[in-house]
Protein backbone atom coordinates (compact mmCIF):
# COMPACT_ATOMS: atom_id res chain seq x y z
CA UNK A 1 0.00 0.00 0.00
CA UNK A 2 1.24 3.47 -0.90
CA UNK A 3 0.42 6.53 1.15
CA UNK A 4 -0.21 8.51 -2.04
CA UNK A 5 -0.81 7.52 -5.64
CA UNK A 6 0.75 9.59 -8.46
CA UNK A 7 -1.24 12.19 -10.34
CA UNK A 8 0.63 11.43 -13.54
CA UNK A 9 3.04 8.76 -14.78
CA UNK A 10 5.14 8.36 -17.87
CA UNK A 11 8.20 6.85 -19.50
CA UNK A 12 11.06 8.84 -21.04
CA UNK A 13 14.11 7.17 -22.60
CA UNK A 14 12.91 3.99 -20.95
CA UNK A 15 12.83 5.71 -17.54
CA UNK A 16 9.62 5.40 -15.53
CA UNK A 17 8.61 8.59 -13.70
CA UNK A 18 5.77 9.80 -11.49
CA UNK A 19 4.38 13.23 -10.61
CA UNK A 20 2.58 14.14 -7.40
CA UNK A 21 0.88 17.44 -6.55
CA UNK A 22 0.63 20.70 -8.47
CA UNK A 23 2.11 23.43 -6.29
CA UNK A 24 5.35 25.15 -7.16
CA UNK A 25 8.21 24.90 -7.29
CA UNK A 26 8.87 21.35 -8.44
CA UNK A 27 11.14 19.07 -6.42
CA UNK A 28 12.92 16.43 -8.49
CA UNK A 29 14.00 13.51 -6.30
CA UNK A 30 16.94 11.83 -8.02
CA UNK A 31 17.47 8.14 -7.25
CA UNK A 32 20.74 6.71 -5.92
CA UNK A 33 22.47 3.51 -7.05
CA UNK A 34 20.09 1.11 -8.82
CA UNK A 35 20.22 -1.19 -5.80
CA UNK A 36 16.91 0.57 -4.98
CA UNK A 37 14.26 2.49 -6.91
CA UNK A 38 12.18 5.60 -6.29
CA UNK A 39 10.40 4.13 -3.25
CA UNK A 40 13.54 5.04 -1.30
CA UNK A 41 11.86 8.47 -1.14
CA UNK A 42 8.60 7.13 0.32
CA UNK A 43 8.95 9.22 3.49
CA UNK A 44 9.30 12.39 1.40
CA UNK A 45 6.78 12.14 -1.44
CA UNK A 46 3.46 12.41 0.48
CA UNK A 47 4.76 15.24 2.67
CA UNK A 48 6.19 17.37 -0.12
CA UNK A 49 3.30 16.71 -2.50
CA UNK A 50 1.06 18.58 -0.04
CA UNK A 51 3.16 21.71 -0.45
CA UNK A 52 4.95 21.47 -3.80
CA UNK A 53 5.02 19.63 -7.10
CA UNK A 54 7.04 16.40 -6.81
CA UNK A 55 8.64 14.28 -9.53
CA UNK A 56 10.40 10.96 -8.87
CA UNK A 57 11.79 8.30 -11.19
CA UNK A 58 13.23 4.82 -11.09
CA UNK A 59 16.89 4.59 -12.05
CA UNK A 60 17.79 2.52 -15.07
CA UNK A 61 18.55 -0.90 -13.61
CA UNK A 62 15.65 -1.13 -11.14
CA UNK A 63 11.92 -0.62 -10.72
CA UNK A 64 9.97 -0.02 -13.91
CA UNK A 65 12.87 1.46 -15.84
CA UNK A 66 15.03 -0.22 -18.49
CA UNK A 67 17.88 -2.60 -17.64
CA UNK A 68 20.61 -2.51 -20.30
CA UNK A 69 23.37 -5.11 -20.10
CA UNK A 70 26.18 -2.78 -21.19
CA UNK A 71 27.98 -1.05 -18.26
CA UNK A 72 28.45 2.04 -20.45
CA UNK A 73 24.67 2.51 -20.33
CA UNK A 74 24.98 3.12 -16.57
CA UNK A 75 27.56 5.90 -16.79
CA UNK A 76 26.82 8.94 -14.65
CA UNK A 77 26.51 11.05 -17.79
CA UNK A 78 23.74 8.72 -18.98
CA UNK A 79 21.94 8.99 -15.64
CA UNK A 80 22.18 12.79 -15.89
CA UNK A 81 20.60 12.63 -19.34
CA UNK A 82 17.83 10.47 -17.87
CA UNK A 83 17.11 13.14 -15.25
CA UNK A 84 16.92 15.80 -17.96
CA UNK A 85 14.58 13.63 -20.01
CA UNK A 86 12.30 13.23 -17.00
CA UNK A 87 12.22 17.00 -16.48
CA UNK A 88 11.22 17.46 -20.11
CA UNK A 89 8.65 14.66 -20.17
CA UNK A 90 6.99 15.83 -16.96
CA UNK A 91 6.73 19.42 -18.23
CA UNK A 92 9.16 20.72 -15.63
CA UNK A 93 11.03 23.87 -16.68
CA UNK A 94 13.02 24.11 -13.45
CA UNK A 95 13.26 22.27 -10.16
CA UNK A 96 14.99 21.96 -6.84
CA UNK A 97 17.00 18.77 -7.29
CA UNK A 98 17.29 16.47 -4.27
CA UNK A 99 19.62 13.47 -4.49
CA UNK A 100 20.69 10.56 -2.32
CA UNK A 101 24.10 8.87 -2.36
CA UNK A 102 25.18 8.17 -5.97
CA UNK A 103 22.48 10.56 -7.13
CA UNK A 104 24.89 13.34 -6.20
CA UNK A 105 27.08 12.66 -9.22
CA UNK A 106 24.29 12.76 -11.79
CA UNK A 107 22.79 15.83 -10.09
CA UNK A 108 26.11 17.66 -10.32
CA UNK A 109 26.29 16.87 -14.02
CA UNK A 110 22.70 18.03 -14.57
CA UNK A 111 23.23 21.32 -12.76
CA UNK A 112 26.51 21.94 -14.57
CA UNK A 113 25.13 21.31 -18.05
CA UNK A 114 21.73 22.94 -17.48
CA UNK A 115 22.00 25.52 -14.69
CA UNK A 116 18.84 27.25 -15.89
CA UNK A 117 16.85 24.12 -14.99
CA UNK A 118 18.15 23.77 -11.41
CA UNK A 119 16.87 26.14 -8.72
CA UNK A 120 18.92 24.52 -5.98
CA UNK A 121 20.68 21.29 -5.04
CA UNK A 122 20.17 19.16 -1.95
CA UNK A 123 22.68 16.35 -1.47
CA UNK A 124 21.71 13.67 1.06
CA UNK A 125 24.66 11.44 2.02
CA UNK A 126 26.48 12.28 -1.23
CA UNK A 127 28.58 9.51 -2.76
CA UNK A 128 31.25 11.53 -4.53
CA UNK A 129 34.94 10.86 -5.05
CA UNK A 130 36.21 13.70 -2.88
CA UNK A 131 37.84 11.96 0.10
CA UNK A 132 39.05 8.42 0.75
CA UNK A 133 36.23 5.99 1.40
CA UNK A 134 35.95 3.49 4.23
CA UNK A 135 39.16 1.46 4.00
CA UNK A 136 37.80 -2.10 3.96
CA UNK A 137 35.16 -1.33 1.37
CA UNK A 138 37.64 0.50 -0.86
CA UNK A 139 40.02 -2.46 -0.77
CA UNK A 140 37.37 -4.92 -1.91
CA UNK A 141 35.83 -2.58 -4.48
CA UNK A 142 39.26 -2.62 -6.13
CA UNK A 143 39.01 -6.43 -6.31
CA UNK A 144 35.41 -6.51 -7.52
CA UNK A 145 36.00 -8.96 -10.38
CA UNK A 146 38.44 -11.22 -8.55
CA UNK A 147 37.53 -14.59 -7.08
CA UNK A 148 38.18 -14.17 -3.37
CA UNK A 149 38.82 -16.76 -0.69
CA UNK A 150 36.51 -15.05 1.79
CA UNK A 151 32.95 -13.75 1.94
CA UNK A 152 33.39 -11.89 5.21
CA UNK A 153 32.43 -8.23 5.58
CA UNK A 154 32.96 -6.07 2.52
CA UNK A 155 34.40 -9.04 0.62
CA UNK A 156 30.73 -9.40 -0.30
CA UNK A 157 31.26 -6.36 -2.58
CA UNK A 158 32.23 -8.78 -5.30
CA UNK A 159 30.71 -9.87 -8.62
CA UNK A 160 31.20 -13.59 -7.94
CA UNK A 161 29.56 -13.33 -4.54
CA UNK A 162 26.60 -11.44 -5.98
CA UNK A 163 26.02 -14.27 -8.44
CA UNK A 164 26.16 -16.82 -5.61
CA UNK A 165 24.19 -15.00 -2.94
CA UNK A 166 22.61 -11.78 -4.18
CA UNK A 167 20.22 -11.55 -1.23
CA UNK A 168 23.16 -12.02 1.13
CA UNK A 169 24.91 -9.02 -0.38
CA UNK A 170 21.75 -6.91 -0.17
CA UNK A 171 21.34 -7.82 3.50
CA UNK A 172 24.96 -6.88 4.23
CA UNK A 173 24.79 -3.63 2.29
CA UNK A 174 21.61 -2.39 3.89
CA UNK A 175 22.63 -3.42 7.40
CA UNK A 176 25.53 -1.04 6.86
CA UNK A 177 23.42 1.62 5.16
CA UNK A 178 20.96 1.56 8.08
CA UNK A 179 23.50 1.35 10.88
CA UNK A 180 21.14 2.84 13.47
CA UNK A 181 19.42 0.61 16.02
CA UNK A 182 15.82 -0.42 15.33
CA UNK A 183 16.19 -0.25 11.53
CA UNK A 184 14.63 -3.64 10.82
CA UNK A 185 11.75 -2.25 8.72
CA UNK A 186 14.00 0.00 6.65
CA UNK A 187 16.41 -2.87 5.97
CA UNK A 188 13.55 -5.18 5.04
CA UNK A 189 12.08 -2.62 2.61
CA UNK A 190 15.44 -1.92 0.98
CA UNK A 191 16.31 -5.59 0.52
CA UNK A 192 12.94 -6.04 -1.18
CA UNK A 193 13.64 -3.14 -3.54
CA UNK A 194 17.07 -4.59 -4.26
CA UNK A 195 15.48 -7.89 -5.23
CA UNK A 196 13.55 -6.03 -7.93
CA UNK A 197 16.88 -5.82 -9.75
CA UNK A 198 19.25 -8.76 -10.29
CA UNK A 199 22.96 -9.62 -9.94
CA UNK A 200 23.94 -9.14 -13.59
CA UNK A 201 22.27 -5.73 -13.77
CA UNK A 202 23.89 -4.56 -10.56
CA UNK A 203 27.28 -5.83 -11.76
CA UNK A 204 26.86 -3.72 -14.90
CA UNK A 205 26.13 -0.64 -12.78
CA UNK A 206 29.19 -1.32 -10.61
CA UNK A 207 31.42 -1.42 -13.71
CA UNK A 208 30.06 1.84 -15.13
CA UNK A 209 32.14 5.04 -15.31
CA UNK A 210 31.77 7.46 -12.39
CA UNK A 211 32.89 11.06 -11.95
CA UNK A 212 36.51 11.24 -10.88
CA UNK A 213 37.71 13.51 -8.10
CA UNK A 214 39.09 16.25 -10.34
CA UNK A 215 35.87 16.55 -12.36
CA UNK A 216 33.73 16.46 -9.22
CA UNK A 217 35.73 19.28 -7.66
CA UNK A 218 35.62 21.38 -10.82
CA UNK A 219 31.85 21.07 -11.18
CA UNK A 220 31.13 21.64 -7.48
CA UNK A 221 33.30 24.77 -7.45
CA UNK A 222 31.44 26.39 -10.34
CA UNK A 223 27.88 25.73 -9.14
CA UNK A 224 25.84 28.91 -9.15
CA UNK A 225 22.69 27.68 -7.39
CA UNK A 226 22.12 27.33 -3.61
CA UNK A 227 23.38 24.08 -2.10
CA UNK A 228 22.42 22.10 1.02
CA UNK A 229 24.32 18.99 2.08
CA UNK A 230 22.77 16.62 4.64
CA UNK A 231 25.05 13.88 5.96
CA UNK A 232 24.99 11.51 8.92
CA UNK A 233 28.15 11.43 11.02
CA UNK A 234 27.99 7.63 11.32
CA UNK A 235 27.56 6.90 7.62
CA UNK A 236 29.13 3.46 7.04
CA UNK A 237 28.73 3.64 3.25
CA UNK A 238 30.22 7.04 2.44
CA UNK A 239 32.23 8.95 5.07
CA UNK A 240 30.76 12.09 6.59
CA UNK A 241 33.89 13.88 5.38
CA UNK A 242 32.52 13.53 1.83
CA UNK A 243 29.52 15.71 2.55
CA UNK A 244 31.63 18.17 4.52
CA UNK A 245 34.03 18.55 1.60
CA UNK A 246 31.24 18.93 -0.97
CA UNK A 247 29.65 21.70 1.10
CA UNK A 248 32.98 23.48 1.43
CA UNK A 249 33.82 23.32 -2.28
CA UNK A 250 30.34 24.41 -3.43
CA UNK A 251 29.93 27.10 -0.79
CA UNK A 252 26.86 25.26 0.42
CA UNK A 253 25.30 24.73 3.82
CA UNK A 254 26.17 21.57 5.74
CA UNK A 255 23.62 19.87 7.99
CA UNK A 256 25.44 17.27 10.07
CA UNK A 257 23.24 14.60 11.63
CA UNK A 258 24.99 13.09 14.67
CA UNK A 259 24.67 9.34 15.07
CA UNK A 260 22.87 8.91 11.74
CA UNK A 261 23.85 6.52 8.94
CA UNK A 262 23.64 6.57 5.16
CA UNK A 263 19.89 7.11 4.70
CA UNK A 264 18.78 9.96 6.97
CA UNK A 265 15.76 10.60 4.73
CA UNK A 266 14.41 7.21 5.89
CA UNK A 267 15.63 7.09 9.51
CA UNK A 268 15.15 10.76 10.39
CA UNK A 269 12.51 11.88 7.88
CA UNK A 270 10.99 14.68 9.97
CA UNK A 271 14.30 16.50 10.44
CA UNK A 272 15.32 15.94 6.82
CA UNK A 273 11.95 16.98 5.42
CA UNK A 274 11.87 20.19 7.45
CA UNK A 275 15.39 21.09 6.34
CA UNK A 276 14.57 20.45 2.69
CA UNK A 277 11.31 22.37 2.93
CA UNK A 278 13.04 25.40 4.43
CA UNK A 279 15.63 25.23 1.66
CA UNK A 280 12.96 25.00 -1.04
CA UNK A 281 11.05 27.91 0.45
CA UNK A 282 14.21 30.02 0.31
CA UNK A 283 14.75 29.22 -3.36
CA UNK A 284 11.14 30.23 -4.01
CA UNK A 285 11.64 33.52 -2.16
CA UNK A 286 15.19 34.71 -2.88
CA UNK A 287 14.49 38.15 -1.40
CA UNK A 288 13.70 36.55 1.95
CA UNK A 289 16.95 34.58 1.71
CA UNK A 290 18.91 37.74 0.95
CA UNK A 291 17.42 39.44 4.00
CA UNK A 292 18.24 36.37 6.10
CA UNK A 293 21.87 36.40 4.97
CA UNK A 294 22.34 40.16 5.41
CA UNK A 295 20.66 40.10 8.80
Amino acid sequence: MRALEPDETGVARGIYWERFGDGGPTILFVPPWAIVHSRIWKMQVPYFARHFRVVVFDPRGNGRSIRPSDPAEYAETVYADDALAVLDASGTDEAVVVSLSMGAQRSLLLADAHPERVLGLVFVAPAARLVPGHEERDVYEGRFLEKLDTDEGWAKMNAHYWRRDYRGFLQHFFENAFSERHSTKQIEDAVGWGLESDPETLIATALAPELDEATTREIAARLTCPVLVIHGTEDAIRPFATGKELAAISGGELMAMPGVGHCPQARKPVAVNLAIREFVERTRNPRKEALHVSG
Side-chain angles (χ1 to χ4, degrees):
M1 293 292 293
R2 301 179 65 171
L4 184 67
E5 293 296 327
D7 295 307
E8 182 183 9
T9 65
V11 176
R13 281 171 44 102
I15 305 304
Y16 174 78
W17 58 269
E18 298 176 335
R19 177 187 61 80
F20 303 80
D22 294 302
T26 297
I27 304 176
L28 177 70
F29 285 99
V30 176
W33 187 21
I35 198 170
V36 295
H37 49 63
S38 59
R39 289 288 284 154
I40 195 69
W41 298 112
K42 73 174 191 174
M43 301 302 289
Q44 282 65 56
V45 170
Y47 173 78
F48 284 102
R50 294 200 301 268
H51 308 285
F52 309 106
R53 185 175 181 268
V54 171
V55 176
V56 299
F57 62 99
D58 291 339
R60 56 178 57 218
N62 203 323
R64 301 184 189 182
S65 291
I66 58 172
R67 303 180 188 198
S69 59
D70 183 356
E73 290 297 309
Y74 296 100
E76 286 303 312
T77 51
V78 176
Y79 276 116
D81 289 343
D82 289 344
L84 180 64
V86 168
L87 287 177
D88 291 341
S90 62
T92 305
D93 293 331
E94 57 185 10
V96 174
V97 177
V98 181
S99 62
L100 172 66
S101 191
M102 287 289 291
Q105 297 186 32
R106 53 209 66 163
S107 296
L108 283 167
L109 287 166
L110 175 66
D112 189 52
H114 304 278
E116 76 285 355
R117 308 291 294 270
V118 179
L119 293 169
L121 288 164
V122 180
F123 299 101
V124 182
R129 302 294 182 183
L130 293 173
V131 301
H134 294 297
E135 184 176 0
E136 182 189 2
R137 179 178 174 179
D138 278 1
V139 167
Y140 284 114
E141 279 189 345
R143 303 178 65 188
F144 180 69
L145 294 176
E146 294 181 27
K147 289 187 176 181
L148 304 175
D149 58 6
T150 178
D151 291 336
E152 294 300 311
W154 281 106
K156 293 179 175 65
M157 192 77 181
N158 180 270
H160 301 282
Y161 180 78
W162 293 5
R163 291 182 177 119
R164 289 197 309 274
D165 188 1
Y166 182 56
R167 179 185 279 273
F169 168 69
L170 295 175
Q171 188 70 31
H172 168 79
F173 183 87
F174 289 117
E175 284 177 357
N176 280 271
F178 295 101
S179 54
E180 303 91 339
R181 296 176 61 189
H182 311 301
S183 295
T184 303
K185 180 62 168 75
Q186 288 82 8
I187 294 170
E188 182 181 281
D189 282 347
V191 169
W193 299 330
L195 289 171
E196 293 186 44
S197 187
D198 60 86
E200 294 304 325
T201 298
L202 209 64
I203 289 168
T205 69
L207 297 174
E210 293 185 27
L211 288 186
D212 60 28
E213 180 177 351
T215 304
T216 302
R217 288 182 176 276
E218 290 170 5
I219 293 175
R222 62 177 178 247
L223 290 174
T224 56
C225 64
V227 171
L228 170 64
V229 180
I230 302 173
H231 211 136
T233 62
E234 301 303 314
D235 190 335
I237 303 298
R238 296 292 181 179
F240 170 73
T242 305
K244 186 176 180 180
E245 185 71 2
L246 180 57
I249 297 168
S250 65
E253 176 186 354
L254 174 65
M255 177 179 169
M257 301 196 73
V260 176
H262 189 58
C263 293
Q265 90 294 342
R267 290 302 284 117
K268 299 291 181 181
V270 174
V272 169
N273 289 355
L274 289 175
I276 295 174
R277 182 177 179 183
E278 181 184 355
F279 179 83
V280 174
E281 292 284 5
R282 295 203 306 261
T283 66
R284 181 162 64 179
N285 192 345
R287 181 175 180 274
K288 179 180 178 181
E289 170 65 4
L291 291 172
H292 173 75
V293 172
S294 63

